[in-house]
């Protein structure tokens, strides 16, 4: 469960990947923007697509569903987007990884404050 401004907390599924091969570290410019993206950000960008492709392949293999609407794909759609985090071989972490670290630190501070009787603090 991660904080959600609208809902309080929200169940979030996270996939953590490591980036170690040269495939992700090539200095490739994005086609439309001309802006370079770090290898960990490129890795995170394809995690959702990989899940969807794997679900479609499973639907086709086990259920004969050709249109991507088999039970595996439907279940994947119900859990919402997968939050990707990637750590690279040079010690870099994706922005989503940094955001998760901040969220965990804030939750820990809040828990300690409540345990010490400080209550809500701004």
């Amino acid at each position: 469960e991660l904080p959600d401004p609208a809902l309080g907390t929200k169940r979030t599924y996270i996939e953590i990947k490591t980036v170690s091969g040269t495939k992700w570290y090539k200095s490739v410019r994005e086609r439309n923007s001309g802006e370079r993206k770090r290898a960990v950000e490129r890795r995170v960008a394809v995690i959702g697509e990989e899940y969807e492709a794997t679900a479609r392949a499973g639907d086709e293999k086990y259920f004969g569903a050709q249109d991507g609407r088999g039970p595996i794909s439907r279940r994947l759609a119900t859990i919402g987007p997968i939050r990707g985090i990637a750590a690279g071989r040079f010690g870099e972490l994706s922005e989503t990884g940094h955001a998760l670290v901040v969220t965990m630190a804030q939750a820990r501070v809040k828990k300690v404050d409540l345990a010490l009787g400080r209550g809500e603090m701004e």
Side-chain angles (χ1 to χ4, degrees):
E1 303 276 330
L2 291 176
D4 183 287
L7 305 172
T9 61
K10 178 182 174 186
R11 180 167 298 249
T12 304
Y13 292 89
I14 299 172
E15 176 72 21
I16 301 174
K17 297 288 188 183
T18 57
V19 179
S20 59
T22 58
K23 171 182 176 182
W24 301 105
Y25 282 101
K26 293 178 182 176
S27 60
V28 177
R29 292 188 182 268
E30 296 296 315
R31 288 185 180 157
N32 296 334
S33 67
E35 159 190 1
R36 288 181 187 236
K37 283 191 174 182
R38 298 181 315 143
V40 290
E41 300 305 336
R42 285 197 302 270
R43 182 67 186 100
V44 164
V46 299
I47 289 174
E49 296 167 11
E50 290 172 347
Y51 267 83
E52 291 168 7
T54 301
R56 283 192 305 272
D59 285 335
E60 185 176 327
K61 180 177 181 178
Y62 297 110
F63 301 101
Q66 300 290 328
D67 57 0
R69 296 177 195 236
I72 301 171
S73 295
R74 286 195 312 268
R75 174 65 178 127
L76 181 61
T78 65
I79 65 173
I82 307 293
R83 178 180 284 190
I85 296 175
R89 69 178 173 188
F90 300 111
E92 69 274 29
L93 186 63
S94 63
E95 291 301 320
T96 51
H98 287 288
L100 180 61
V101 169
V102 168
T103 299
M104 292 185 326
Q106 290 171 339
R108 179 67 179 161
V109 167
K110 184 176 180 179
K111 180 178 179 179
V112 170
D113 283 346
L114 290 173
L116 295 174
R118 294 185 189 148
E120 296 289 327
M121 298 183 76
E122 295 293 321

